[in-house]
Amino acid sequence: DVKVTQSSRYLVKRTGEKVFLECVQDMDHENMFWYRQDPGLGLRLIYFSYDVKMKEKGDIPEGYSVSREKKERFSLILESASTNQTSMYLCASSLSDRGRGQPQHFGDGTRLSIL
Amino acid sequence: LAKTTQPISMDSYEGQEVNITCSHNNIATNDYITWYQQFPSQGPRFIIQGYKTKVTNEVASLFIPADRKSSTLSLPRVSLSDTAVYYCLVGAHGSSNTGKLIFGQGTTLQVKP
């Protein structure tokens, strides 16, 4: 079974702090994703990466950056946390498309609160 | 970008078949349709994926008409443990393209005894 592990289930930070959310997958997947989930808005894609050091903006990249230095690890960075970034953050991974859709495997999420 | 629309909520009773329809009028030629299930405090879990016609696995069936502008997830004989949020995802993803991924709003299915 694919395992996607997010470093924290719950995290509390203060406004203006730099926040790192870490995600590791153990199945050698090429693609990795960061989403946030808010009530009434469903899942929204922040960033994704299809290879080491490669990244693409999703639907809501503002206020976020990402880092993928190793294939198994994808980090989400809040450069200067704000209260509107309080949310559930979900990491996912998948095999490369190669012309066919591939299902995504999700971690259990990090509930981040910005005070 | 293929935007999806699905009902916000549905109710059912144990033992019934449940059909959840997702509308995706602007689906692109290379887009696949994928459904996920999510329980509280957990990440979404893959249920089924298809491109056209019908796909069936041990959990569900997915019906896709010829025009691919909608799809229907069918859950046979639901139980209380099927109470969850169901997401419809349309998109093609991977290193071969830069297509963005679109999740629907999700359908909250409540199964009653």
Side-chain angles (χ1 to χ4, degrees), chain A residues 20-48:
Chain A
F20 294 86
L21 302 183
E22 306 287 344
C23 175
V24 177
Q25 50 94 3
D26 65 358
M27 286 302 292
D28 203 34
H29 283 172
E30 291 86 359
N31 299 333
M32 296 190 75
F33 310 84
W34 275 106
Y35 297 86
R36 63 177 282 178
Q37 184 172 29
D38 301 286
L41 297 176
L43 278 81
R44 293 179 292 168
L45 180 65
I46 305 172
Y47 267 98
F48 68 99

Side-chain angles (χ1 to χ4, degrees), chain A residues 43-58:
Chain A
L43 278 81
R44 293 179 292 168
L45 180 65
I46 305 172
Y47 267 98
F48 68 99
S49 168
Y50 51 86
D51 202 351
V52 175
K53 297 190 186 295
M54 304 301 288
K55 60 185 179 184
E56 292 268 347
K57 292 181 179 179

Side-chain angles (χ1 to χ4, degrees), chain A residues 9 37 40 96-97 102 104, chain B residues 36 38 41 87 93 95 105:
Chain A
R9 287 300 304 270
Q37 184 172 29
S96 178
D97 199 307
Q102 294 288 346
Q104 296 179 34
Chain B
Y36 293 81
Q38 187 178 24
S41 301
Y87 287 96
H93 38 82
S95 58
Q105 291 298 306

